[in-house]
Amino acid sequence: MRMKLFDVYPLNDITIAKAKGAYVWDDAGQQYLDLYGGHAVISIGHTHPHYVKRLEDQLHRVGFYSNSVKIPLQVELAAKLGKVSGKEDYQLFLCNSGAEANENALKLASFYNGRKKIIAFKKAFHGRTSLAVAVTDNPNIVAPVNQTDNVLFLPFNDEVALEQAFAANDICAVIIEGIQGVGGINIASNAFLQKIRSLCDHYNAVYIADSVQCGYGRSGKFYAHDHAGVNADIYTMAKGMGNGFPVAGISIAPKIHAKYFMLGTTFGGNHLACAAALAVLEVIEQDGLIENAKNVGNYLMEELKKLPHINEVRGRGLMIGIDLPQELSMVKKNLLFKHKIFTGEAKPNVIRLLPALNITRVEADLFLTAFQQELEHLAVKA
Ligand SMILES: Cc1ncc(COP(=O)(O)O)c(C=O)c1O
């Protein structure tokens, strides 16, 4: 008997053996264009030389030591993140995954104002640990032990429902994705985020901006919530932060004060994780990747909107959802197996583009050509 894997992931029959920039290769040498970025994780391109070198150099010095000693790389990372994100007066707490970032943000909010009731939104996804899954709108992944009546799910972008919920409850925090990812690429309107800000100010509640997927420059601003021109109290981030190295964090407004032991983690902020995160920010800054995400993203959106048979194109920067009618449900599979292009998906039938932030127009055009062919081909059959 050989130990088996716990079978929780439906897999594509592909083994990736090599990756570079916007491309990956399988174990038979077949090349694929990667517009999925391993689920929005690859922010600066696969095996970026600066990233590889920084991690390699760090590994030769020290890979890990716990948060019981000074780790100057954490201080360097906080300073760099403050600068690139434009929130230099915020404080950084480092952890390991998006769920953990949200978990810590929600705990911190509750420590801050002593309250329990959280507002989350329909179609939200915030992760799979106990609080993160409790604010996720998917009963299939909420175990009985995670069920709580501390969470109110409100309709997305509904200012009246939000005002009413604040008036009727002692609200601790609001958690919202700037652009819902798993939910199908739904943009939080600027007016709605501004309303969250003003209600949180009025009631001394905490505005938590889940930037795990839509953050780190993907939307054409550092945090997608920045488009609304108001600050959140806590930003949570992961995915693109380490370009594949598991590193996550929360950026915390100055009004929230730290106390020893209120948060903690063994692995969070280790030397290797910081080196990976620093390499990512250095490349984002030096290569103007936020600007590139905006430009190539705008180009893709404009071109996609010209194509027939599509219900709707939604998104900002390089976080794009293409909402297709049910009869075109084969497009995603055909892009992968016929055209060798990885894309993401959201239910029921949305193609999600989440490529590295340095993809070029040439790569965008490769996708557009293949996508157009598939639309036409499948639309004729349907
Ligand atoms: C918006 C959002 N928040 C949180 C998470 C959870 O992140 P992780 O899978 O790293 O725990 C995800 C993952 O897809 C996400 O999209």
Side-chain angles (χ1 to χ4, degrees):
M1 263 296 254
R2 263 214 297 190
M3 187 172 185
K4 284 197 273 186
L5 297 174
F6 196 56
D7 192 13
V8 289
Y9 302 112
L11 300 177
N12 289 307
D13 187 15
I14 296 173
T15 303
I16 292 175
K18 195 177 90 170
K20 193 164 178 47
Y23 294 92
V24 297
W25 287 261
D26 68 17
D27 50 359
Q30 174 66 55
Q31 178 177 316
Y32 296 79
L33 176 62
D34 184 11
L35 297 188
Y36 174 52
H39 210 74
V41 166
I42 300 302
S43 46
I44 59 167
H46 292 279
T47 57
H48 191 288
H50 177 66
Y51 174 84
V52 172
K53 175 145 192 350
R54 220 181 194 292
L55 271 170
E56 222 172 62
D57 289 352
Q58 188 58 48
L59 197 51
H60 286 296
R61 285 197 290 274
V62 49
F64 172 83
Y65 207 79
S66 81
N67 284 304
S68 61
V69 297
K70 287 185 176 174
I71 302 180
L73 280 167
Q74 292 183 353
V75 180
E76 196 186 333
L77 175 57
K80 190 74 167 174
L81 177 68
K83 177 162 175 261
V84 179
S85 67
K87 317 237 183 272
E88 294 192 87
D89 55 342
Y90 278 52
Q91 312 151 81
L92 177 64
F93 174 76
L94 289 160
C95 52
N96 310 285
S97 68
E100 206 188 322
N102 285 328
E103 196 83 15
N104 280 295
L106 290 160
K107 279 174 68 174
L108 195 51
S110 181
F111 278 134
Y112 172 73
N113 57 23
R115 303 181 195 152
K116 296 179 182 173
K117 288 262 187 248
I118 310 287
I119 292 178
F121 297 97
K122 298 272 188 227
K123 293 197 176 179
F125 184 88
H126 297 293
R128 292 164 182 278
T129 56
S130 51
L131 261 177
V133 86
V135 290
T136 289
D137 182 25
N138 179 356
N140 295 333
I141 63 170
V142 179
V145 70
N146 303 132
Q147 282 161 9
T148 166
D149 53 14
N150 282 331
V151 181
L152 306 170
F153 285 100
L154 303 185
F156 198 59
N157 282 335
D158 184 335
E159 293 179 42
V160 175
L162 189 69
E163 276 171 358
Q164 287 169 349
F166 264 99
N169 299 277
D170 199 16
I171 297 298
C172 167
V174 179
I175 183 163
I176 183 166
E177 296 157 83
I179 305 171
Q180 289 187 329
V182 175
I185 312 293
N186 306 311
I187 300 179
S189 73
N190 291 348
F192 194 58
L193 296 179
Q194 288 157 7
K195 178 63 82 180
I196 291 175
R197 177 68 279 161
S198 66
L199 287 168
C200 283
D201 283 341
H202 184 74
Y203 289 97
N204 193 31
V206 177
Y207 168 13
I208 301 171
D210 182 340
S211 302
V212 168
Q213 186 168 151
C214 60
Y216 252 75
R218 176 160 298 286
S219 74
K221 293 209 184 272
F222 192 82
Y223 298 117
H225 305 73
D226 289 342
H227 291 276
V230 291
N231 281 334
D233 298 310
I234 305 178
Y235 296 87
T236 65
M237 61 206 108
K239 294 196 188 288
M241 186 173 186
N243 202 46
F245 195 98
V247 52
I250 60 178
S251 178
I252 306 156
K255 72 177 185 194
I256 301 176
H257 300 292
K259 265 206 288 200
Y260 283 160
F261 306 121
M262 74 195 300
L263 305 178
T265 155
T266 298
F267 293 124
N270 69 72
H271 298 71
L272 267 185
C274 289
L278 274 162
V280 167
L281 287 175
E282 284 155 3
V283 173
I284 286 181
E285 199 180 32
Q286 275 158 29
D287 296 355
L289 295 195
I290 301 181
E291 195 60 20
N292 190 66
K294 185 169 110 191
N295 294 338
V296 180
N298 282 345
Y299 171 68
L300 268 166
M301 297 263 297
E302 274 164 29
E303 294 303 308
L304 283 167
K305 282 180 179 163
K306 293 179 193 160
L307 299 181
H309 313 302
I310 297 174
N311 288 341
E312 196 181 14
V313 181
R314 299 185 288 269
R316 268 184 174 142
L318 289 173
M319 184 161 179
I320 298 174
I322 312 165
D323 199 327
L324 293 174
Q326 201 46 45
E327 64 268 22
L328 296 185
S329 62
M330 282 304 289
V331 171
K332 183 176 178 294
K333 270 222 148 53
N334 287 358
L335 282 169
L336 180 58
F337 291 106
K338 270 170 60 186
H339 300 272
K340 313 296 177 194
I341 300 176
F342 273 98
T343 58
E345 71 179 330
K347 300 280 181 271
N349 200 18
V350 179
I351 290 189
R352 262 196 289 173
L353 302 183
L354 302 162
L357 307 187
N358 49 9
I359 62 154
T360 61
R361 273 198 181 210
V362 174
E363 287 146 0
D365 282 335
L366 287 173
F367 166 74
L368 287 166
T369 307
F371 183 65
Q372 188 166 5
Q373 269 178 29
E374 269 320 298
L375 280 187
E376 282 163 10
H377 174 69
L378 287 169
V380 169
K381 276 172 93 185

